[in-house]
Amino acid sequence: MSESLVVCDVAEDLIEKLRKFRFRKDTNNAAIIMKIDKEKQLVVLDEEHEGISPDELKDELPERQPRFIVYSYKYQHDDGRVSYPLCFIFSSPVGCKPEQQMMYAGSKNKLVQTAELTKVFEIRNTEDLTEEWLQEKLGYFH
């Protein structure tokens, strides 16, 4: 018996929240952390954070469960400009249940498309989520 890949829908209220988040005017870092409701097969809101650094964000993530994060990050360019890239981070820690990992992996692309994001990163260890890591990833998008 093969496991069929489950692609979860995105909750309507979450779609609206992501749309508003995309056009927010605040100039601080902010994050929306999402999880999958297994019974409903739906991506739902887990937590929201304002003024959260990458290092604080990593402390909010479960060590053994996957999470999706949309992160608005205040990025200082070398030339002095400031931008606020929206990053999609898929946290899929080593040690997750394979069934859970498959459900998240199968739903990732749909969520990225729904949120209309282009900067998509993945981490396998929550400890990797640091300011340096994020800046290095964003450095490729000059």
Side-chain angles (χ1 to χ4, degrees):
M1 189 178 110
S2 70
E3 289 280 324
S4 62
L5 188 61
V6 177
V7 177
C8 300
D9 277 321
V10 183
E12 282 302 317
D13 58 338
L14 182 58
I15 292 172
E16 182 60 21
K17 189 171 285 296
L18 288 167
R19 195 183 62 73
K20 284 186 176 140
F21 190 73
R22 199 182 157 89
F23 297 108
R24 64 195 280 281
K25 300 283 184 256
D26 300 333
T27 56
N28 61 346
N29 294 343
I32 293 179
I33 301 175
M34 295 156 284
K35 64 182 179 184
I36 288 180
D37 180 327
K38 230 168 75 173
E39 276 66 60
K40 295 181 182 160
Q41 294 191 351
L42 211 55
V43 179
V44 297
L45 177 68
D46 187 18
E47 299 174 5
E48 282 183 274
H49 297 279
E50 286 287 333
I52 186 167
S53 73
D55 290 312
E56 291 165 330
L57 182 58
K58 94 174 148 206
D59 295 336
E60 296 296 326
L61 299 174
E63 275 178 39
R64 298 260 179 265
Q65 291 181 335
R67 285 295 183 270
F68 299 123
I69 303 121
V70 175
Y71 190 48
S72 175
Y73 176 67
K74 183 175 181 177
Y75 183 61
Q76 185 85 39
H77 295 267
D78 297 337
D79 61 8
R81 290 177 304 123
V82 175
S83 63
Y84 300 90
L86 274 183
C87 311
F88 182 90
I89 303 168
F90 174 34
S91 169
S92 176
V94 176
C96 297
K97 293 183 188 136
E99 167 202 344
Q100 210 179 22
Q101 255 174 333
M102 278 175 53
M103 198 180 250
Y104 274 80
S107 303
K108 181 182 101 174
N109 288 344
K110 180 167 186 158
L111 184 56
V112 167
Q113 287 168 342
T114 302
E116 299 178 42
L117 298 172
T118 54
K119 296 167 180 63
V120 179
F121 312 126
E122 192 168 325
I123 55 172
R124 301 286 293 164
N125 179 348
T126 53
E127 289 304 306
D128 293 343
L129 184 55
T130 62
E131 191 108 23
E132 295 73 31
W133 175 84
L134 191 57
Q135 287 181 353
E136 180 184 313
K137 291 288 185 192
L138 289 168
Y140 299 124
F141 284 93
H142 284 304

